[in-house]
Amino acid sequence: MKYDFRRIEKKWQKRWEEEKTFAATLDESKKKFYALIEFPYPSGEGLHVGHPRPYTAMDIIARKRRMEGYNVLFPIGFDAFGLPTENYALKNKVHPAAVTKKNIARFTEQLKMLGYSFDWDRVVDTTDPAYYKWTQWIFLKMFEKGLAYKASMPVNWCTSCKCVLANEEVVGGVCERCGSEVVRREKSQWMLKITEYADRLLDDLDELDFIERVKTQQRNWIGRSTGAEIVFDTTAGDKLRVFSTRPDTLFGATYMVVAPEHEYVTKWMPLLENAEEVEAYRAAAARKSDFERTELSKDREKTGVELKGVRAVNPATKQEIPIFISDYVLASYGTGAIMAVPGHDTRDWEFAKKFGLPIVEVVSGGDVTKEAYTDCENGVLVNSGFLNGMSVPDAIKAMTQWLTENNLGREAVNYKLRDWVFSRQRYWGEPIPIVICPKCGYVPVPEDQLPLELPYVEYYETTDTGESPLAAMTDWVETTCPKCGGQARRETDIMPQWAGSSWYFLRYTDPHNDRELASRKALEYWMPVDWYNGGMEHTTLHLLYSRFWHKFLYDIGVVNTKEPYLKRTSHGMILGEDGQKMSKSRGNVINPNDVVNEFGADTLRLYIMFIGDFEKTAPWSTNAVKGCKRFLDRIWNLAEKPISGPETYSAANEVIIHRTIKKVTEDIESMKFNTAIAQLMTLVNAFYDSPPSRGDIKVLLELLSPFAPHIAEELWEIQGFKGMACQAPWPEYDASKMVEEMREIAVQVGGKLKTTVTVRNDASDDEMLQAALADEKIKKIVEGKEIVRTITVKNKLINIIVR
RNA sequence: GCCGGUGUGGCGGAACUGGCAGACGCCCGGGACUUAAAAUCCUGUGAGGGGCGACCCUCGUACCGGUUCGAUUCCGGUCACCGGCACCA
């Protein structure tokens, strides 16, 4: 009989579903394991061939853990709010809810086709009011604690999506999603105070088992720097505050620069001799989009205008110094103003050169007439009064202390991380449950009125005014104030897509709870997530946001762990057969349905894991897929007829079986799926040389089961083994049975490999030497020469040095 | 510019903690089976050179140099590519 994967795969998927083989139960007598993948966005295109890579990887781990006796939670859901669905709905004049429903059905079917061991009774859908009720609830808790606030500020505005974007969603000055130009707009927005958690998000990384590049990226994104805040007096009477990581260089501050948007610029305008020029520069800076700012920032020549009429006083030298505005100083970082130390800061140096400003050396070691000297390790302070002769670190301490004592400044910390812009002016998202009352201000919708559902309308359109389409839905917008009962309006902005995914892993622990987001009992049993695999592209978005929400929920006593995820790993992208990123326009897209139809789900699973190093990008190869199918065919041919005899390993295969168990067991843990499969192939090749016993076949099926579960199950049944393969205990190896009695060692003469000889296992140095010298070839080489020394590595090699 | 990563046959990729480079798979060649083809099975396959021959020699892990009995692995330098950040004071 032929390996009929179509029949087999359907059969076992049905059995698993009917018998709820993979249902997770809250059983405190068993040790738990929570395996998590990033739930998909159910796009109209259906499952992409990139999806199965992380899914199969975690499915293998989840299946192995079950076989190891763990109670495993391996859930799936849908992150279904979002722009593509809304845009598709607008274009085709259907409701986004209907589109979502259809897409989820399609994704579900495709995921089931791949035989993943998800617990299908725990599916969550972020667009389900029973789910987003709790997304809104968390928002209200944040509002209550002052972490959600409304602020008017310049925001990133995507000209095509007609919507505000978070900093994290702007990539290289353009919209991450559509690639259109992003401009700055002043808008009133809901914000979440993620910066309040910056220190904890940074410091707690140390204890987590995240791959290093994830940690590094999060650290860089948070961008903590320590230094001092320094106050400069001005001739206008106002005090100008700056942040500096190098307070030691204060004696070298020869001018100051403020951002064009700085409030003092407006304030001082009447005092300025060149007000017109300043105003013009300001207007020009405001017109620039983020795209222009970043594009041009590379080696851009510094521009700026002096504020003539106001000067600052260097608190260390007591000298008056000029103040400039320039767009190389960012309004959004620090205090929006800097002290410029051209001798020791590259940007200040360039600016000073251009404007002919004095460059004073205050740290010796370089040549400040040629370039800024920024070395912090070797420099010694000069021209700096009481700091002279100190090293940079000492001078930083001394200056900070001096500033504090004289009330001119203090130690300060700054972050690159900005608060999270949480408003979107679209329809398909969670409504922000706030009522705007002319008397009471921002009033939360009472908890018992949650969920605040999206109004269902047949037709709506985005607006050009920057308002949400919800604003036009008068019946919904007009309401009464929950506090005073007076006439009021609802907030019409919705939450960003990241809201629903910031806590979904908590819902999986207790998905049908209508009284809490999840019961304390379920959270205590299942949390934290033991292993979370996902894309690198979410490192500074979803991964950071969800850590933030989790920490907040910890603070208010909802969850019992400080961090949501113990371990985070990441997979590489799958490229097209041409080595290019898969895209419709390139015509190199592989559809998983086609692969499954032609070769079967087991083959696809196996190939996607065999394709290469899990962490690296890898190009698709249809030929290599065939190789994986061939491998399964070979297994089928070995086991399609019942083998009789005892369930013990055959003598001929025993050594390789133990080695394979060890290798597969360890490789799955380190996500080296490609070498685990290679080892299984080696084992099968060995079975072709020495026909496998009943026990040999059994262990092969056990090891194969996480990778290719359907064929493993079918052959398991054919062989008449008990239960299901996926429920068998994970096999164990015996290290003492992994070695042959005799082994081959390498023989080198003078470090060069000459031949190999066979010695008994664990042979002594002398035995190895005698065996080597007994070899005809070595004899000839060594003849007439003096053996100076020999180097041996047990069971590996002997190196003979001759003269 | 800064941070992180990668560079190995025709291709995807292996190689523990410094110890036989190229596991496994693909492609390709040879053979068996077949009327034939496909499938399957067996077998060869880094490059160059020598021998009728079982075999032998030389070179080879981006490039240059170093440490070492021995380097894909460690150190210094160079180049290329990929990812992230980007005037962050």
Side-chain angles (χ1 to χ4, degrees), chain A residues 38-51:
Chain A
E38 288 171 339
F39 63 163
Y41 175 70
S43 72
E45 276 95 58
L47 205 69
H48 181 268
V49 81
H51 286 114

Side-chain angles (χ1 to χ4, degrees), chain A residues 23-26 73 75-77 119-124 507-512 526:
Chain A
T25 49
L26 205 166
L73 174 57
I76 183 74
D119 181 347
W120 285 100
D121 292 333
R122 289 174 186 260
V123 173
V124 305
R507 188 65 177 170
Y508 282 143
T509 66
D510 192 11
H512 309 295
W526 289 113

